């Protein structure tokens, strides 16, 4: 079982369940011969701090230890202009807890919006590779790769992917997910 632990992007904001990230990812993995179940752990609007606060009860609620957790967080911290150090500390705590439980992780990065300034952008964008190195987990560099700023792949809000955009995300992230999944029994 794969748990997509994140914000509105993982939750499938504005989309019917079948068109959201978790359902499209599960279908893509099954087409590739991987009998994975992908559970939705996305909460729209969550910052890394809010996700950190719900991590333990979310894991308990799954009922089984996940084979992989995709950590997709940080976009709301960035959109609110919250300090990068705060987002990094909360993501670090999430990765530490998952590591303590011996749960494999794929961290999905985000990129800062250019209107936040060069210094903020550089610090934010560097956060994900640094955390991946520190925790020795694989990094998918940019969750919205191929979708961000492409109006044809976004909902009317210009932020959230439409069903086609989710399809692009899934097609691009599947190789990283396959590689991050443990081989054989744990």
């Amino acid at each position: 079982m794969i748990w997509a632990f994140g914000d509105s992007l993982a939750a499938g904001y504005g989309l019917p369940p079948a068109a959201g990230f978790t359902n499209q990812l599960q279908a893509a993995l099954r087409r590739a011969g991987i009998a994975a179940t992908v559970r939705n752990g996305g909460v729209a609007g969550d910052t890394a701090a809010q996700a950190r606060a719900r991590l333990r009860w979310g894991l308990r609620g799954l009922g089984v230890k996940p084979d992989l957790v995709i950590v997709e967080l940080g976009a709301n911290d960035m959109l609110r202009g919250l300090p990068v150090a705060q987002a990094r500390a909360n993501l670090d705590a999430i990765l530490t807890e998952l590591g303590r439980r011996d749960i494999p992780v794929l961290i999905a990065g985000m990129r800062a919006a250019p209107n936040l300034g060069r210094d903020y952008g550089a610090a934010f964008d560097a956060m994900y590779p640094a955390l991946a190195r520190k925790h020795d987990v694989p990094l998918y560099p940019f969750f919205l790769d191929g979708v961000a700023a492409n109006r044809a792949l976004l909902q009317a809000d210009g932020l959230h992917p439409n069903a086609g955009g989710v399809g692009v995300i899934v097609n691009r992230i599947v190789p990283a997910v396959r590689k991050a999944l443990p081989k054989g029994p744990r």
Side-chain angles (χ1 to χ4, degrees), residues 77-90:
D77 299 77
M78 178 266 300
L79 289 172
R80 294 174 189 175
L82 298 176
V84 174
Q86 177 182 318
R88 183 178 177 151
N90 286 302

Side-chain angles (χ1 to χ4, degrees), residues 138-178:
L139 169 69
Y140 183 74
F142 183 37
F143 188 76
L144 292 172
D145 185 40
V147 175
N150 183 339
R151 287 285 199 202
L153 298 174
L154 296 171
Q155 295 179 43
D157 65 8
L159 297 172
H160 295 94
N162 59 28
V166 172
V168 170
I169 292 166
V170 166
N171 286 337
R172 291 181 180 220
I173 202 171
V174 160
V177 171
R178 289 180 70 169

Side-chain angles (χ1 to χ4, degrees), residues 114 116-123:
L116 294 167
R118 221 167 74 177
D119 291 344
Y120 187 95

Side-chain angles (χ1 to χ4, degrees), residues 19-160:
F21 175 70
T22 55
N23 286 352
Q24 285 201 45
L25 178 60
Q26 179 174 293
L29 290 170
R30 289 184 177 180
R31 283 191 303 272
I34 299 169
T37 298
V38 182
R39 301 274 299 272
N40 193 334
V43 174
D46 256 11
T47 62
Q50 291 165 318
R52 176 184 178 184
R54 69 180 169 88
L55 176 63
R56 288 187 179 139
W57 66 258
L59 287 166
R60 276 194 306 274
L62 293 173
V64 297
K65 182 177 175 179
D67 297 304
L68 177 68
V69 174
I70 300 169
V71 175
E72 177 280 309
L73 290 159
N76 290 311
D77 299 77
M78 178 266 300
L79 289 172
R80 294 174 189 175
L82 298 176
V84 174
Q86 177 182 318
R88 183 178 177 151
N90 286 302
L91 286 168
D92 185 51
I94 289 167
L95 295 171
T96 297
E97 180 64 21
L98 293 169
R100 187 186 70 73
R101 293 171 183 247
D102 194 32
I103 299 172
V105 170
L106 172 64
I107 187 166
M110 186 55 55
R111 292 201 181 127
N115 65 318
L116 294 167
R118 221 167 74 177
D119 291 344
Y120 187 95
F124 186 86
D125 294 354
M127 172 176 67
Y128 295 98
L131 286 166
R133 280 190 304 275
K134 177 180 179 183
H135 291 276
D136 194 25
V137 297
L139 169 69
Y140 183 74
F142 183 37
F143 188 76
L144 292 172
D145 185 40
V147 175
N150 183 339
R151 287 285 199 202
L153 298 174
L154 296 171
Q155 295 179 43
D157 65 8
L159 297 172
H160 295 94

